Amino acid sequence: MDKVYNFGLFSFDKPNFIYRFVKGETDYVLGGYPFFRFVPEYINRNSKIVEQVLNLSQPQAKELYSELEYLALPENREYRYNYVLDNCATRPRDMIEKVVGGIQYPTPKDTTLTFRDMMRSYSVNYPWYQLGIDLALGSGIDYTLTTREQMFAPVYLMKAFDKATFKDANGKDCPLVSRTNILFNGSESPILPPTPWYFSPIFISLLVLLLILWITYNDIKKKKVSNWIDFIWFTLSGLMGCLLFFLIFCSTHEATSPNYLAFWLNPLCFIASIFICIKSFKNLLYIYHFINFAVVLILLITWWALPQEANLAFFLLMLCSIIRSANYIYINKACVKRSK
């Protein structure tokens, strides 16, 4: 009876799953189950099923099967999952490489891809999902990938295997895949309909920027800071900053650090929201807004020179922070001049 081995199984019921996932301590397991159970699950979600028959000798096939059976045992099946370096695509690849003694892969069509580029290709219809990736993952995913690194994505692994070769017992180049069968011609990457433009992060961020501009314009006319909008804006910025700092300093995900967005979103943003209504902290607030204005403005201007790509929505939201800090500086400076 044919058997399927899946390195991508995990349970949401494990204690503190979300915390462990964010911290980079997610444990996946290898599961082995009959082929007849595998096919209906993929057909039901309209996922394409492609079978690549490996060109292995009988001893090699037996060695691979024995290793899979050993790793599928309850005491061996759990492993520490890494989204880009050690996942359900790279694990079987590594095992096959070991069995055949090394594989020669073809040069990929695009040799300039980064992890972020590849993630974006899979999230075209999910801009909010991509916004979350661009927020949480720093410059660690923005370097040019090798052929093997591109294989963290199963489709890229399949295409690489299709033209890969290895040395047989006689030292001759032998194709890794002897034949390819389409078992179910569904979608390679099932996706939902595109997010409407008026619900996209770019459009929502533009609306937020226009609102900030309108409130700031009225503040300047009235020569008074609207404390309520600064409380909301910098509290949200501080909360996002706490998440970023956790990912940078506590998470074991190597892709989360360094993250240059931390110069914009950080726990110091709470200074502008917590102390805004306390007159005795007026000087502290002025110093904070002066530093925040300078740092975020420099970050925005020099981003092109940094080794990290950013979501376009971030630039609009950075402008919101710059405008509100500039507004506080301008109005309080004007008030000081009038008092003199």
Side-chain angles (χ1 to χ4, degrees):
M1 180 176 63
D2 289 340
K3 198 171 183 180
V4 171
Y5 295 89
N6 187 348
F7 281 90
L9 303 178
F10 63 92
S11 174
F12 283 107
D13 296 328
K14 292 195 70 171
N16 305 313
F17 177 84
I18 299 299
Y19 170 79
R20 289 171 61 84
F21 180 83
V22 174
K23 197 171 184 294
E25 296 179 351
T26 309
D27 293 324
Y28 275 44
V29 297
L30 167 63
Y33 45 93
F35 186 74
F36 68 83
R37 284 179 50 197
F38 161 79
V39 173
E41 177 184 345
Y42 277 67
I43 291 177
N44 288 338
R45 68 187 195 195
N46 196 36
S47 293
K48 188 174 184 178
I49 305 175
V50 180
E51 177 188 46
Q52 289 181 307
V53 180
L54 301 181
N55 199 12
L56 304 181
S57 65
Q58 197 63 30
Q60 289 172 332
K62 186 176 180 180
E63 180 185 347
L64 182 60
Y65 174 75
S66 297
E67 183 67 14
L68 285 167
E69 282 288 286
Y70 173 76
L71 291 177
L73 294 173
E75 63 270 24
N76 302 326
R77 64 179 188 163
E78 191 170 86
Y79 71 97
R80 181 57 49 87
Y81 179 84
N82 183 299
Y83 180 57
V84 294
L85 299 179
D86 190 2
N87 65 13
C88 52
T90 63
R91 284 249 161 177
R93 176 205 62 194
D94 294 346
M95 293 182 67
I96 295 168
E97 286 179 343
K98 181 181 177 181
V99 165
V100 300
I103 299 174
Q104 294 77 50
Y105 297 104
T107 302
K109 290 183 179 179
D110 191 344
T111 58
T112 64
L113 288 176
T114 65
F115 283 122
R116 200 183 304 271
D117 292 332
M118 294 180 65
M119 292 175 191
R120 284 176 176 171
S121 70
Y122 286 102
S123 58
V124 173
N125 283 10
Y126 311 106
W128 289 102
Y129 172 74
Q130 186 59 51
L131 185 79
I133 290 176
D134 291 338
L135 176 68
L137 303 184
S139 58
I141 61 169
D142 289 316
Y143 64 89
T144 303
L145 303 179
T146 64
T147 301
R148 291 185 83 256
E149 286 173 326
Q150 290 186 11
M151 297 178 201
F152 87 99
V155 173
Y156 283 77
L157 174 65
M158 179 184 71
K159 291 178 179 178
F161 268 22
D162 189 50
K163 297 182 180 179
T165 61
F166 68 97
K167 300 290 185 182
D168 64 13
N170 299 317
K172 295 182 179 179
D173 286 336
C174 181
L176 178 63
V177 176
S178 60
R179 68 178 187 276
T180 300
N181 304 318
I182 307 298
L183 303 183
F184 178 69
N185 200 15
S187 171
E188 284 192 5
S189 180
I191 55 176
L192 297 172
T195 300
W197 63 268
Y198 47 85
F199 283 143
S200 68
I202 291 288
F203 185 72
I204 299 299
S205 297
L206 181 60
L207 290 181
V208 171
L209 176 59
L210 292 175
L211 176 63
I212 292 290
L213 284 169
W214 180 74
I215 294 172
T216 303
Y217 172 75
N218 283 303
D219 280 359
I220 294 172
K221 282 178 61 179
K222 298 175 182 177
K223 296 180 173 58
K224 184 179 180 181
V225 176
S226 295
N227 291 342
W228 65 273
I229 189 64
D230 283 352
F231 175 80
I232 294 173
W233 180 254
F234 287 102
T235 296
L236 292 175
S237 299
L239 290 172
M240 291 296 101
C242 288
L243 174 61
L244 279 189
F245 269 54
F246 178 83
L247 289 171
I248 292 170
F249 297 109
C250 299
S251 176
T252 59
H253 283 300
E254 66 284 327
T256 60
S257 181
N259 190 334
Y260 295 96
L261 291 175
F263 286 103
W264 162 45
L265 300 173
N266 53 71
L268 293 177
C269 294
F270 286 122
I271 292 174
S273 61
I274 294 175
F275 300 134
I276 194 166
C277 296
I278 305 175
K279 290 184 178 180
S280 59
F281 286 98
K282 190 173 182 179
N283 290 336
L284 175 62
L285 274 175
Y286 188 88
I287 294 171
Y288 167 79
H289 280 295
F290 187 86
I291 295 174
N292 186 64
F293 171 80
V295 169
V296 181
L297 181 61
I298 292 171
L299 181 67
L300 181 62
I301 293 172
T302 61
W303 190 275
W304 64 272
L306 298 176
Q308 180 176 336
E309 293 186 45
N311 197 291
L312 292 178
F314 292 155
F315 300 132
L316 299 176
L317 298 176
M318 283 184 198
L319 282 172
C320 293
S321 291
I322 293 170
I323 290 167
R324 290 311 298 172
S325 284
N327 178 70
Y328 187 91
I329 295 168
Y330 175 80
I331 291 179
N332 279 276
K333 193 172 182 179
C335 290
V336 170
K337 285 183 178 180
R338 286 200 307 271
S339 64
K340 291 180 178 180

